[in-house]
Amino acid sequence: MATTAGGAIDPEKALALAEATPYAATQDFTIEAGPLNSRTKARVNLNGPVRSGRLTESMTAAGGDMVGGGSDTPNVVVTGDGTTYIRSGSSWRTSPLGDRVADYHGYAKALLALGPSARTGMEDCDGTPCFHLSGTVGVEQMKPLEAEQYKILKSKGVESFRLDQWIDAQGRTVRFDRKTDLGGVQIRTRGTFRDFGPVERIDPPR
């Protein structure tokens, strides 16, 4: 059990449960970066040996004008062997850029490693009891979790970022909120996970 007698979630036990049980989830994320906002809607597999999924990414400028994407059809597919495909027009190409699906479990463990100060406590996430973790994470801890994002932040001299994360009793991430100062531009990455289920097969696009 990952809960105490009083019903509170023990975050360490919960994360241990999630580590032993890969799962699929629907992900809705936004990235706010100055005048540009991007949105990712996805069905992803998490906590397995390879993180995979089908992602629909779009971007809007100030005022809501669409810059790219805009369709509900996936434009990024990461298969079970880790190959990333990106839609280019009506066709697909493989991409050398990995980590399109981050290791959110690893982020939660990084927060726990900060000690008692990161344990904010129990909160309600739209009807789901969650444990809120919060703290400042060093950018070096990001390297094995999101290597491409790490390279970007590292090249801009970012040393740390603020992270808030909510996990359920099974150790699954329910909400995620990261704030980063990138050269004077405040970037906020936040989103939710829902519709949890068993890992799904992700085949290459056709």
Side-chain angles (χ1 to χ4, degrees), residues 41-94:
K41 299 171 63 179
R43 186 68 180 172
V44 293
N45 292 321
L46 301 171
N47 285 22
V50 177
R51 301 184 300 276
S52 57
R54 299 181 182 88
L55 300 83
T56 302
E57 300 178 337
S58 60
M59 184 173 292
T60 57
D65 295 329
M66 187 67 65
V67 177
S71 170
D72 287 332
T73 303
N75 52 20
V76 177
V77 173
V78 183
T79 61
D81 65 1
T83 303
T84 299
Y85 297 84
I86 296 180
R87 183 187 293 275
S88 180
S90 59
S91 61
W92 292 86
R93 61 178 175 84
T94 58

Side-chain angles (χ1 to χ4, degrees), residues 8-199:
I9 294 171
D10 182 321
E12 290 180 327
K13 290 183 178 179
L15 288 178
L17 286 176
E19 198 163 49
T21 310
Y23 61 92
T26 297
Q27 170 187 317
D28 292 286
F29 262 54
T30 59
I31 300 177
E32 302 163 3
L36 293 177
N37 292 333
S38 66
R39 182 176 183 184
T40 300
K41 299 171 63 179
R43 186 68 180 172
V44 293
N45 292 321
L46 301 171
N47 285 22
V50 177
R51 301 184 300 276
S52 57
R54 299 181 182 88
L55 300 83
T56 302
E57 300 178 337
S58 60
M59 184 173 292
T60 57
D65 295 329
M66 187 67 65
V67 177
S71 170
D72 287 332
T73 303
N75 52 20
V76 177
V77 173
V78 183
T79 61
D81 65 1
T83 303
T84 299
Y85 297 84
I86 296 180
R87 183 187 293 275
S88 180
S90 59
S91 61
W92 292 86
R93 61 178 175 84
T94 58
S95 170
L97 299 180
D99 304 307
R100 300 304 285 264
V101 182
D103 183 357
Y104 298 102
H105 185 77
Y107 277 120
K109 291 177 71 174
L111 284 170
L112 269 184
L114 296 176
S117 64
R119 299 172 181 240
T120 299
M122 294 292 295
E123 294 183 14
D124 178 82
C125 295
D126 295 324
T128 298
C130 290
F131 196 92
H132 182 186
L133 298 167
S134 180
T136 299
V137 178
V139 73
E140 291 299 329
Q141 294 175 273
M142 188 185 207
K143 189 174 183 178
L145 310 178
E146 260 186 298
E148 294 302 324
Q149 284 298 310
Y150 163 79
K151 291 177 184 176
I152 293 171
L153 298 186
K154 185 72 173 179
S155 69
K156 300 294 184 181
V158 175
E159 296 182 354
S160 63
F161 51 87
R162 185 72 184 180
L163 179 61
D164 288 87
Q165 192 167 351
W166 293 257
I167 62 172
D168 67 10
Q170 286 75 50
R172 303 171 301 199
T173 298
V174 177
R175 288 172 55 190
F176 185 89
D177 193 340
R178 182 174 67 212
K179 302 180 183 73
T180 310
D181 185 335
L182 188 60
V185 177
Q186 298 299 314
I187 298 177
R188 185 177 187 184
T189 302
R190 56 178 172 166
T192 60
F193 297 85
R194 55 185 170 80
D195 300 332
F196 299 111
V199 168

